[in-house]
Amino acid sequence: MTMHGVFVTIEGIEGAGKSTAVSCVAEWFTEHGYDVLCSREPGGTPVAEDIRRILLTSTEEELAEPAELLLMFAARAQHVARGIRPALEAGRVVVCDRFTDSTRAYQGAGRGIDSGVIESLAAYAEQGVRPDLTLLLDLPVEIGMARASARRGTSSKDRFEREAHAFFERIRAGFLRIAAADTARICLVDASAPIERVQAQIRAILDDRFETAR
Ligand code: T5A
């Protein structure tokens, strides 16, 4: 079946402002008369949200790297099949906080898992569902970490937030390499700027990409 909707993903390190950007993108499409579904990964459907809990919770039994990768793709396969694809087929706009570029950056650049393994699992889990546009929110790791910890307040860090600074530097560099290799799909946003300036950059990208296409 042909898909008629629009699929937009938001990527970046912890505290980049992805949730804030999802609202901004959703608002733009709603203002332009589209029916919008906001979602996130890992998660987005009840089963995928159950998998998210396993992925983000630190337990005594350390999650093995291959298990982490396969759980990310299990959650994604479920989200694509039961959430994203049906919405796109219904002509809706799907705005998703993270998608496969996060796996490329975190499990690929961060953990060092082979890109061939990641790309073959991606093809199987995505079943042809690919983002039309990806916004990469880029900012220095220290700023992202400071924002994430201010937002977290007194609640404890999740399993990923406990990683060392160098892990997040590898991820940031990984995201920038992914973006440089696919400039047709991925637009870079300077996320270190104040919220209003970040939102203005996002709206300009959407004006440029979608206003003329209407
Ligand atoms: N993961 C995920 C993988 O390893 N592989 C994968 O394939 C996938 C899909 C998921 C974790 O899973 C990993 C990556 C993650 O570690 P998540 O819930 O997406 O976790 O986690 P985070 O990235 O940690 O989400 P955060 O909520 O920390 O970050 P956001 O969404 O980027 O940031 P946001 O919008 O909540 O903003 C954080 C704070 O900063 C403020 C906001 O008001 C908020 O308080 N803020 C700004 N402040 C100043 N200036 C700006 N421009 C600001 N923009 C936002």
Side-chain angles (χ1 to χ4, degrees):
M1 191 177 184
T2 325
M3 282 176 279
H4 298 290
V6 179
F7 184 26
V8 180
T9 59
I10 316 287
E11 298 281 4
I13 57 168
E14 328 286 305
K18 295 179 302 299
S19 321
T20 318
V22 165
S23 310
C24 174
V25 173
E27 205 177 282
W28 188 95
F29 277 103
T30 305
E31 280 167 16
H32 287 75
Y34 292 85
D35 179 18
V36 180
L37 171 71
C38 293
S39 198
R40 68 170 181 184
E41 290 215 346
T45 75
V47 168
E49 289 287 329
D50 281 349
I51 300 172
R52 177 187 177 91
R53 269 188 289 282
I54 299 172
L55 280 162
L56 296 195
T57 309
S58 301
T59 58
E60 215 169 292
E61 179 185 348
E62 202 185 326
L63 199 56
E65 283 182 11
E68 177 183 281
L69 179 73
L70 292 168
L71 285 169
M72 286 295 176
F73 277 117
R76 181 159 305 129
Q78 186 67 15
H79 187 207
V80 166
R82 301 288 174 258
I84 299 172
R85 178 184 283 280
L88 294 175
E89 284 173 353
R92 302 179 74 188
V93 172
V94 178
V95 186
C96 192
D97 186 336
R98 299 191 182 281
F99 195 61
T100 305
D101 293 320
S102 278
T103 314
R104 296 183 174 110
Y106 281 74
Q107 282 65 48
R111 303 270 193 234
I113 295 177
D114 179 66
S115 66
V117 173
I118 293 177
E119 293 311 323
S120 60
L121 288 169
Y124 188 49
E126 291 173 356
Q127 297 285 316
V129 172
R130 303 256 157 71
D132 298 293
L133 170 69
T134 297
L135 302 176
L136 172 58
L137 305 189
D138 180 60
L139 81 178
V141 171
E142 310 78 62
I143 303 180
M145 289 303 162
R147 284 186 195 165
S149 98
R151 198 185 84 138
R152 193 168 54 243
T154 53
S155 53
S156 57
K157 291 182 172 181
D158 69 33
R159 204 172 58 81
F160 286 97
E161 289 166 345
R162 287 162 195 253
E163 292 288 343
H165 183 95
F167 177 70
F168 296 105
E169 290 291 0
R170 289 199 296 279
I171 290 165
R172 182 187 184 199
F175 271 131
L176 289 171
R177 278 197 303 275
I178 295 164
D182 193 354
T183 50
R185 171 175 67 90
I186 307 178
C187 291
L188 211 59
V189 173
D190 172 13
S192 65
I195 291 189
E196 315 74 61
R197 292 237 314 275
V198 173
Q199 293 185 337
Q201 292 176 66
I202 292 174
R203 297 179 78 85
I205 292 168
L206 297 174
D207 287 345
D208 184 50
R209 233 4 127 94
F210 297 105
E211 208 145 55
T212 48
R214 281 166 58 80

